[in-house]
Amino acid sequence: MKPIFKWILGIVAFILLALAGGIWYFSNKWKPLLDTKIKQLVSQATDNLYTIKYDDIHVNLLLGNITIDNLHLVSDSSIYKKLELVKKAPDNRFEISINRLKIKSFGIRRVLMDKELFLNDITVERPTIHVINEVHRYNDTVSRGPKKPLYEKIKDNLKKIQVRAVNLNDIDFKYTQVQKGVYQDFEVKKVKVRIDDVLIDSTSEHDRQRFYHTKMIDIEVPGFTYKTPDGFYKVNFDQLKINSKNRNVLLTKVAYQPTLNKAAYYRKKGEGGSYMVLKMDTLLLTGFNFAELSRDKKIYAQNARLKNGSLSIYSDKHYKSPPTSQIGNAPHMKLMQMSTRLGIDSLILDNIGIAYSEMSDEYSQIGTITFDHTYGTILNVTNDSTKLLKQKLMRANLSSNFMNAGKLSTNFVFDMTSKVGAYTYKGTLGKMDLTVVNKMIRPLLNVEVKSGNLSQITFDIWANDYRSKGTFKMDYDDLKVNILSEAGDDGRREKKGLLSFMINQVLFNPGNPDLYGKYTVGHINKRRDPNHPFFKAMWQTLLVGIKQCVGLGPEREAKLMNTAGKVEKVVGGISKAKKMISSIFKKHKTPEELLKEEKEDEAKEAAKIEEKRKRDREKAEKELEKEGTGN
């Protein structure tokens, strides 16, 4: 190699070494400046509530990269207590730990000279986020004044902050709710978050296209399970996806269900009430207003869709609860009582199955009523007073298959501003074989429909918390019922022939119109039992119309009960007479002895019935225990 090239290579090597040394020197000299700036910014932006700590910060001026090791953002408990005393403490506190924070294209000169921070990319490795929620009532009241924007807190140090992308990988998230000194936790692992185009300057606070100063936040949460504080229920889902740019919130395989099977649930609870299982393949919110959520804690969305789900409610009548007033507990009144402001333009039900089951305390059998394949739309689902000024009515148009047989169409109108919970409902039920209702009435009433053809039911009801009024029409023919005996040890029930004959021939109309062409319309004017919940009150109202249409008005119903009692007495009297005559011929007994023997027999029979009911109950509980939780 010629000497000239040696000199050139030597000069280049010297320049590179000098440049590397200069970068190393300035990187190390600027580290204290960066350290001071970062801590100062965090303190000012959080009103001294938070401090930031880390093990080391690595600066590469040539590439404009910064790496921070083992970073911790912690809240100062003493500052928080002072904020509570002056009623300025936030409801949420954060504890954040990050294994490594990588920042690319960090323009240090631009920060120090122009007071503008531009970052190309931020990657956060294995962050742990702990949110501590402690609600303060003063945060739910009218604002004490305009909140200081984030830009106002940093403008003395920076005029602008812009980040093109932020990636948070495998977040371990913990949420702690504090209520009256009691801590309730739930955790989610492996959460992924991507944030695009973060901008904090004098204009970004008012940019309606941004959510928390960002163009997009995309969150993906894997499945998790949360148990309610009382331990009776759990909530779980397979996946949660949130995208602020598309304004969508998606939940898949959502479930709210008990942690115990039915038998164990009621034994542990020790009282009555509902055993509820709610499952949904998809819950999708579209047109979600993230700005309202962040600014005013309001949940607003254009549409909510519940797809391919089921709601199952079960009640065991062996367990009693003290009667409690249900006044004010109608669905629309409960919605108005929610502390969270809610506004959903339309709630769409897409193939939802609804079932109510009840175990009879007398027969230890389960009767079930179902509304299968329910579709429909509920409009104006809101408790926001500003929205209700424009439209105070919530409307629901629903269709389903009653007992998977007859087509049921209903229309509800709820007056959201009514102090007495006013609402109306009307609908039609199409053709069906009436014997399908045996699944409901046979286990609970020991009655079955032998035959019956329904042509149509129509009803139109006005109601509130205290009374229901309206009309009920039922077109049917060939109605016959059987009154059944209690099930024997083999589970079979025999028809009470004489009693069934009397009821069918004397009391029930076999059709409407009847054999003489007379058409009966049910006219309803019923006072509500205040202890009946909303849907039971609706059923009791419709039952009044059904009874009138089949000819079982109040007078006939009293006659039915009287006839049933007389027939039972006649049958029982014949049996006793046979036994008495047999006893007389077998052996002469005094009237006193016969009376004593009759009472003893009655006591034995009552004990036998009670013992059988106990066995039936135990058998039913064993069957329930075989079921999986939530079935």
Side-chain angles (χ1 to χ4, degrees):
M1 183 180 293
K2 295 182 179 180
I4 185 64
F5 294 114
K6 289 183 179 181
W7 278 101
I8 292 173
L9 287 176
I11 291 170
V12 170
F14 176 78
I15 292 172
L16 291 174
L17 286 172
L19 182 60
I23 291 171
W24 176 86
Y25 175 78
F26 283 108
S27 295
N28 282 279
K29 285 294 182 180
W30 283 7
K31 281 175 62 175
L33 293 175
L34 282 174
D35 181 76
T36 301
K37 278 292 181 182
I38 291 171
K39 292 178 178 178
Q40 186 180 20
L41 282 171
V42 170
S43 180
Q44 287 183 350
T46 63
D47 296 324
N48 298 315
L49 178 58
Y50 291 92
T51 57
I52 191 169
K53 301 176 183 178
Y54 43 81
D55 288 351
D56 198 4
I57 181 169
H58 308 282
V59 181
N60 188 319
L61 287 179
L62 183 62
L63 299 176
N65 296 342
I66 294 177
T67 302
I68 303 175
D69 295 329
N70 201 21
L71 183 145
H72 298 276
L73 181 71
V74 294
S75 62
D76 189 322
S77 59
S78 61
I79 297 293
Y80 190 77
K81 288 179 180 178
K82 290 179 181 178
L83 291 173
E84 284 185 315
L85 291 175
V86 295
K87 296 185 177 181
K88 291 184 178 181
D91 289 344
N92 294 318
R93 283 173 286 164
F94 301 88
E95 305 287 343
I96 300 175
S97 297
I98 298 172
N99 184 264
R100 179 166 292 174
L101 175 65
K102 295 180 179 180
I103 302 172
K104 292 182 179 180
S105 301
F106 180 68
I108 296 177
R109 188 202 62 79
R110 194 170 171 182
V111 171
L112 298 177
M113 301 303 178
D114 301 331
K115 289 188 176 182
E116 292 185 356
L117 174 60
F118 175 81
L119 305 174
N120 188 60
D121 180 80
I122 297 176
T123 301
V124 182
E125 295 181 359
R126 296 200 299 274
T128 300
I129 301 174
H130 184 192
V131 180
I132 304 169
N133 175 263
E134 189 169 1
V135 176
H136 301 85
R137 295 184 65 183
Y138 50 78
N139 285 333
D140 292 330
T141 59
V142 177
S143 175
R144 300 178 302 276
K147 293 182 179 180
K148 193 175 183 180
L150 181 57
Y151 173 72
E152 293 293 325
K153 297 180 180 181
I154 67 167
K155 69 178 182 178
D156 292 337
N157 293 282
L158 290 172
K159 295 178 182 178
K160 180 180 179 180
I161 297 176
Q162 187 168 12
V163 185
R164 283 185 178 174
V166 180
N167 292 287
L168 295 92
N169 300 320
D170 295 333
I171 304 171
D172 287 345
F173 180 82
K174 181 178 180 181
Y175 183 86
T176 299
Q177 189 172 52
V178 184
Q179 291 183 331
K180 297 180 180 180
V182 178
Y183 288 71
Q184 180 69 27
D185 298 333
F186 77 85
E187 298 184 56
V188 184
K189 304 284 188 180
K190 306 297 182 183
V191 178
K192 294 181 179 179
V193 178
R194 177 179 171 83
I195 303 171
D196 285 352
D197 193 6
V198 182
L199 178 64
I200 303 172
D201 64 7
S202 58
T203 64
S204 61
E205 185 78 24
H206 308 288
D207 188 346
R208 292 287 178 178
Q209 300 300 314
R210 292 182 179 273
F211 173 60
Y212 277 125
H213 300 277
T214 73
K215 280 289 187 180
M216 186 198 76
I217 298 179
D218 188 88
I219 302 174
E220 186 174 323
V221 182
F224 90 113
T225 299
Y226 167 71
K227 286 187 179 181
T228 57
D230 60 14
F232 283 105
Y233 279 86
K234 62 181 179 181
V235 182
N236 55 275
F237 60 78
D238 273 4
Q239 192 175 58
L240 166 64
K241 289 186 176 182
I242 299 172
N243 188 290
S244 65
K245 185 177 182 179
N246 297 332
R247 300 175 64 195
N248 291 343
V249 178
L250 173 65
L251 277 161
T252 60
K253 301 295 183 183
V254 188
Y256 173 78
Q257 57 191 335
T259 56
L260 304 168
N261 63 41
K262 296 183 179 77
Y265 175 90
Y266 280 102
R267 280 200 300 267
K268 184 176 180 181
K269 195 173 182 181
E271 61 180 14
S274 296
Y275 179 98
M276 186 171 71
V277 180
L278 173 64
K279 294 183 178 180
M280 208 69 56
D281 275 357
T282 304
L283 168 57
L284 175 64
L285 297 173
T286 58
F288 193 89
N289 195 324
F290 289 95
E292 290 283 3
L293 178 65
S294 63
R295 186 172 57 248
D296 301 319
K297 297 181 181 178
K298 295 179 178 179
I299 299 176
Y300 281 3
Q302 292 176 353
N303 297 295
R305 181 181 292 273
L306 306 178
K307 186 174 182 180
N308 296 336
S310 63
L311 172 62
S312 173
I313 301 173
Y314 171 83
S315 180
D316 190 333
K317 293 305 178 181
H318 290 92
Y319 293 87
K320 308 298 181 183
S321 293
T324 55
S325 175
Q326 299 296 320
I327 300 300
N329 286 337
H332 59 306
M333 301 182 80
K334 296 292 285 185
L335 176 60
M336 292 299 296
Q337 294 163 18
M338 287 176 57
S339 58
T340 301
R341 295 298 90 184
L342 181 70
I344 297 175
D345 295 343
S346 60
L347 172 61
I348 302 167
L349 304 183
D350 187 354
N351 191 28
I352 308 299
I354 302 169
Y356 175 77
S357 300
E358 182 178 301
M359 177 177 282
S360 166
D361 56 347
E362 185 172 359
Y363 305 112
S364 294
Q365 298 289 320
I366 298 174
T368 301
I369 182 172
T370 64
F371 301 88
D372 307 281
H373 305 296
T374 300
Y375 295 85
T377 303
I378 306 175
L379 302 175
N380 196 37
V381 183
T382 185
N383 56 12
D384 192 311
S385 57
T386 57
K387 286 181 172 288
L388 292 173
L389 286 174
K390 299 177 183 179
Q391 176 56 267
K392 70 174 185 176
L393 302 178
M394 179 172 69
R395 302 176 185 272
N397 296 294
L398 308 173
S399 65
S400 63
N401 293 338
F402 175 68
M403 302 297 282
N404 212 21
K407 188 69 173 180
L408 175 65
S409 299
T410 53
N411 173 266
F412 290 83
V413 179
F414 300 93
D415 185 344
M416 304 301 293
T417 61
S418 171
K419 301 299 182 182
V420 294
Y423 64 100
T424 64
Y425 57 101
K426 58 184 177 180
T428 61
L429 176 61
K431 289 183 178 181
M432 59 179 279
D433 184 343
L434 287 173
T435 59
V436 300
V437 303
N438 287 333
K439 187 177 179 181
M440 173 179 58
I441 67 172
R442 186 190 289 124
L444 302 180
L445 304 176
N446 234 18
V447 175
E448 67 178 10
V449 175
K450 180 182 178 181
S451 65
N453 302 306
L454 176 69
S455 296
Q456 181 176 259
I457 286 177
T458 61
F459 52 89
D460 191 349
I461 311 295
W462 171 91
N464 61 25
D465 254 350
Y466 303 96
R467 184 172 290 279
S468 298
K469 295 181 180 180
T471 57
F472 188 96
K473 298 179 181 179
M474 180 176 175
D475 298 30
Y476 68 95
D477 61 66
D478 192 32
L479 176 63
K480 292 184 178 65
V481 299
N482 287 332
I483 308 300
L484 306 175
S485 64
E486 287 201 34
D489 293 333
D490 58 358
R492 296 180 61 186
R493 302 185 191 190
E494 300 295 333
K495 180 182 76 171
K496 294 183 177 181
L498 180 57
L499 183 56
S500 299
F501 175 81
M502 292 288 293
I503 290 173
N504 287 318
Q505 294 299 318
V506 177
L507 299 177
F508 277 176
N509 292 335
N512 194 22
D514 63 16
L515 297 175
Y516 304 100
K518 180 183 177 183
Y519 188 82
T520 302
V521 177
H523 295 283
I524 299 168
N525 186 355
K526 178 176 173 53
R527 183 180 295 276
R528 176 188 176 177
D529 185 329
N531 296 324
H532 285 174
F534 177 80
F535 290 106
K536 185 172 183 177
M538 278 185 56
W539 165 243
Q540 292 294 328
T541 297
L542 296 175
L543 188 59
V544 171
I546 293 172
K547 287 179 178 180
Q548 290 183 32
C549 288
V550 300
L552 198 61
E555 293 181 1
R556 276 199 173 185
E557 187 173 3
K559 186 178 180 181
L560 168 63
M561 301 307 295
N562 187 41
T563 300
K566 286 181 177 179
V567 172
E568 291 290 346
K569 286 180 180 179
V570 169
V571 174
I574 293 172
S575 176
K576 288 180 182 179
K578 287 181 178 179
K579 188 173 182 181
M580 183 179 293
I581 293 170
S582 176
S583 298
I584 291 173
F585 280 101
K586 284 183 179 179
K587 180 181 178 181
H588 177 72
K589 294 184 179 180
T590 64
E592 291 78 8
E593 288 175 330
L594 291 173
L595 182 61
K596 181 181 178 181
E597 186 178 272
E598 182 180 337
K599 289 182 177 180
E600 288 175 349
D601 289 344
E602 288 177 351
K604 288 178 181 178
E605 187 63 26
K608 184 179 179 181
I609 292 173
E610 184 61 32
E611 180 63 28
K612 181 183 178 302
R613 287 182 177 175
K614 183 180 178 181
R615 291 198 307 271
D616 290 344
R617 170 62 183 163
E618 291 173 349
K619 180 181 178 182
E621 282 198 341
K622 287 179 180 178
E623 291 296 322
L624 289 175
E625 286 175 343
K626 293 178 182 178
E627 297 182 9
T629 302
N631 292 333

